[in-house]
Amino acid sequence: VMTEKENLEKCRCVDALICDLDRRIMKTEQEIEELSAQTVVDTVKGGDGGIQRFKVEGKPSSLIEKKKILLEARINKLKKTLTEKEDAINRAYSFLDEVQPAELRMMLQYYYIDGLSWSKVARKLEKATGKSFSKAGCQIRCMRFFEKLGEEK
């Protein structure tokens, strides 16, 4: 069973996986397009005792089919990952709704869901609250929150 912290960490890292899958899908689509535009030419011997030469032209269809299968697998993986992200974020928001005080809830949201660095979390909190926050202070406060949460279970 995934802990709330593990779920929040999943929210934070899943975007990188989605970007990687998007990049791979675009690359595979480009490769299919390039292969489809190609004509492969080869010469074979045959007829008249194997001394005649014949020119054979065609598309690299077996390679194109392999790429299409790969593309379909990557698209399916992307769809599954997007669903997992949505589920993780919904669970995260349900968890964060219970976190008190609001400053801590904002720290967790900015870092884990919005994907900000701890420095940006501190700056955004300063703007939102008018109070002073540091990168280390935010990190430590969240770390202590999860340690305390672990003790309560």
Side-chain angles (χ1 to χ4, degrees), residues 1-80:
V1 177
M2 188 183 304
T3 66
E4 296 304 333
K5 184 177 183 188
E6 289 169 339
N7 184 64
L8 286 169
E9 288 169 347
K10 182 178 184 177
C11 291
R12 185 165 171 81
C13 71
V14 76
D15 283 332
L17 179 60
I18 289 168
C19 287
D20 181 61
L21 284 167
D22 275 336
R23 183 187 57 78
R24 290 174 188 271
I25 287 168
M26 285 192 296
K27 183 179 179 222
T28 306
E29 287 172 336
Q30 183 181 357
E31 289 171 350
I32 290 170
E33 199 175 301
E34 289 170 3
L35 286 168
S36 297
Q38 285 182 5
T39 301
V40 180
V41 180
D42 198 5
T43 308
V44 294
K45 291 182 183 178
D48 199 22
I51 57 171
Q52 278 186 303
R53 298 174 75 80
F54 297 96
K55 184 177 173 183
V56 181
E57 291 184 26
K59 303 268 181 222
S61 55
S62 64
L63 188 54
I64 292 170
E65 281 308 307
K66 286 179 186 175
K67 294 284 183 184
K68 284 182 178 178
I69 291 168
L70 177 63
L71 177 63
E72 186 178 334
R74 286 182 172 161
I75 289 170
N76 288 337
K77 174 70 175 161
L78 177 62
K79 286 177 185 175
K80 182 180 177 209

Side-chain angles (χ1 to χ4, degrees), residues 94-134:
S94 293
F95 169 69
L96 290 174
D97 284 345
E98 305 299 317
V99 173
Q100 294 295 330
E103 287 173 359
L104 179 60
R105 181 171 52 248
M106 292 164 68
M107 279 179 206
L108 294 167
Q109 180 179 330
Y110 293 159
Y111 184 75
Y112 289 104
I113 295 179
D114 298 344
L116 300 181
S117 66
W118 285 114
S119 299
K120 288 181 181 173
V121 168
R123 284 197 300 269
K124 195 165 180 175
L125 277 167
E126 285 178 344
K127 287 180 185 173
T129 65
K131 296 180 184 177
S132 180
F133 290 91
S134 70

Side-chain angles (χ1 to χ4, degrees), residues 143-153:
M143 182 185 73
R144 287 183 181 150
F145 168 76
F146 284 116
E147 286 173 357
K148 186 178 176 188
L149 189 67
E151 291 169 9
E152 292 173 3
K153 287 187 176 179

